[in-house]
Amino acid sequence: MRSEARQAELKEIIYGFCLSQCLHVAARLGIADNLEDGSKSSAELADLTGSHPAALRRILRALASIGIFSEDEDDCFSLTPLADLLRTDVDGSLRAEILHVLHPTSWLPWGQLLHSVKTGQAAFVEVFEESAWAYRAHNSETDAIFEAMAAAHAKQQADVILEHLDLSTVGRIVDVGGGSGEVIAIILSRQADLRGVLFDQPHVVARAKEVLRAAGVADRCRIEAGDFFIEIPREGDLYLLKAILHNWSDEAAMDILRNCRRAMSAGGRIVLAESLIDSERTPVANFMDLHMLVIHGGKQRTSAELGALLKAAGFCLQGIQKTAGDFSLIEGVAT
Ligand code: SAH
């Protein structure tokens, strides 16, 4: 490849951050939702979204250059298959994920990636002087954006869990760090005899009552607020930890697992739902791994690493199931 061609290729990568922010702005403004019923000019879109027409047109053109929206005639924009995923209410929508991952609370720490690489610590703490969890506890907008992302994926994720886990012998499932209950609500609504405990931080479970009520399972699910570094609810037959351990260092992950073990009787089941970073180190898997470092000082792990953590915390590894979702299920039994 000639050097000009290599330069051009590298430049697209260098300026990739511009596209990420154009995407963020388009998602924030709800451009794709506004194109649902047909194409519009940048002036119309600016009017609908309270934006500056000429500046918006430039953003739409930049996005159209990579297949997100198309400019059919001069200044007439419409949806493309990629832009479709920016709509709010479509199957597989990534709007909530874009709003979370490209929000200043992710973006600003990513600007300090070097700090994470020098120290192995979360750049988030360097920028905001507290952990992402502490920040979200008193910043409702950021918390709501995070919750919206969790809610957007909940149905698909609950389906995957139900497809792969045999819950027939489970009386009570405990969702450790279960957010505001979207996933456990769906699981319980599909398993009539199952009872549940939703466990998360106080400000997070504060919204759960409504979620459980709407799913018709409030009478079968206890809500417990607490700190999984201190104590985890007892009396569960199966403890689910979905997207929990990747937020934490090995030491902290061990503390959480040991607290789970302490809460359980021998023979109890624990299921980790985590994206594995095994054989396929796709670019996105690597970026997610770094995202965990930058935001939480955490990491994505291999199945061997998760198996070793389970073993050290007093569990015997039962099996690992790859799923069609973006996570695998790693199951252990308390010894
Ligand atoms: N299981 C959910 C949420 C994963 S995000 C899902 O997969 O969608 C991680 C969760 O851990 C958040 O809901 C967060 O509030 C919770 N969490 C963080 N620190 C915690 C702590 N110390 N004690 C209990 N929950 C905590």
Side-chain angles (χ1 to χ4, degrees):
M1 202 192 288
R2 292 171 48 118
S3 102
E4 290 83 359
R6 278 185 284 131
Q7 278 188 333
E9 192 176 326
L10 188 58
K11 280 199 180 194
E12 278 206 15
I13 297 172
I14 294 170
Y15 288 95
F17 79 97
C18 304
L19 282 176
S20 293
Q21 273 308 339
C22 288
L23 198 58
H24 183 226
V25 167
R28 273 289 288 268
L29 295 177
I31 300 291
D33 286 333
N34 276 299
L35 291 175
E36 263 169 22
D37 50 0
S39 55
K40 292 194 171 65
S41 69
S42 52
E44 284 175 278
L45 287 167
D47 195 38
L48 288 165
T49 60
S51 322
H52 185 278
L56 181 62
R57 183 175 187 181
R58 290 155 70 184
I59 283 179
L60 295 174
R61 283 190 157 167
L63 287 169
S65 75
I66 56 158
I68 300 170
F69 306 117
S70 69
E71 188 173 9
D72 307 326
E73 307 149 28
D74 191 34
D75 194 23
C76 178
F77 293 92
S78 59
L79 290 172
T80 58
L82 284 182
D84 226 25
L85 298 180
L86 265 60
R87 288 165 59 192
T88 309
D89 292 320
V90 287
D91 262 2
S93 170
L94 291 178
R95 180 165 185 249
E97 188 162 336
I98 292 168
L99 294 180
H100 168 63
V101 174
L102 295 169
H103 187 268
T105 46
S106 295
W107 184 254
L108 297 177
W110 264 95
Q112 302 302 319
L113 176 61
L114 187 60
H115 172 82
S116 284
V117 175
K118 294 257 182 189
T119 63
Q121 306 290 318
F124 188 100
V125 177
E126 177 73 2
V127 175
F128 292 103
E129 298 180 340
E130 60 186 339
S131 76
W133 304 118
Y135 181 91
R136 283 177 203 162
H138 63 79
N139 192 304
S140 55
E141 184 224 329
T142 312
D143 202 39
I145 288 174
F146 182 70
E147 282 299 316
M149 181 176 71
H153 297 309
K155 188 183 164 299
Q156 192 187 2
Q157 295 177 338
D159 284 345
V160 167
I161 289 171
L162 284 163
E163 185 189 327
H164 288 270
L165 283 189
D166 176 11
L167 298 177
S168 58
T169 58
V170 179
R172 181 175 278 119
I173 180 171
V174 182
D175 194 355
V176 178
S180 42
E182 271 91 0
V183 168
I184 198 168
I186 299 171
I187 292 177
L188 293 179
S189 71
R190 306 264 173 81
Q191 299 274 130
D193 297 331
L194 189 60
R195 302 192 150 266
V197 178
L198 170 69
F199 179 69
D200 207 297
Q201 304 181 89
H203 73 279
V204 177
V205 294
R207 291 183 294 269
K209 219 174 182 170
E210 183 46 35
V211 173
L212 297 172
R213 201 197 52 74
V217 298
D219 56 335
R220 285 190 283 129
C221 191
R222 203 168 78 225
I223 300 171
E224 279 206 31
D227 179 347
F228 50 43
F229 291 107
I230 297 176
E231 194 175 14
I232 289 170
R234 296 177 176 271
E235 295 166 23
D237 304 305
L238 187 147
Y239 286 73
L240 175 67
L241 282 78
K242 189 167 89 55
I244 301 298
L245 297 191
H246 74 160
N247 296 146
W248 303 96
S249 67
D250 286 344
E251 297 70 33
M254 275 302 295
D255 288 342
I256 298 169
L257 289 178
R258 284 206 186 97
N259 279 345
C260 285
R261 177 64 192 85
R262 220 166 275 147
M264 295 165 70
S265 315
R269 292 162 71 189
I270 186 165
V271 175
L272 311 175
E274 294 274 333
S275 297
L276 297 179
I277 189 151
D278 276 338
S279 46
E280 294 162 45
R281 289 194 81 101
T282 59
V284 174
N286 285 304
F287 298 150
M288 277 307 297
D289 179 41
L290 290 174
H291 191 65
M292 288 303 129
L293 169 64
V294 166
I295 306 299
H296 298 294
K299 60 178 174 179
Q300 305 292 98
R301 292 181 172 86
T302 63
S303 48
E305 287 169 330
L306 287 169
L309 284 176
L310 278 177
K311 203 169 160 212
F315 297 96
C316 150
L317 184 64
Q318 281 296 104
I320 296 164
Q321 301 189 60
K322 263 200 169 320
T323 75
D326 57 4
F327 57 86
S328 295
L329 296 170
I330 300 96
E331 180 160 350
V333 170
T335 53

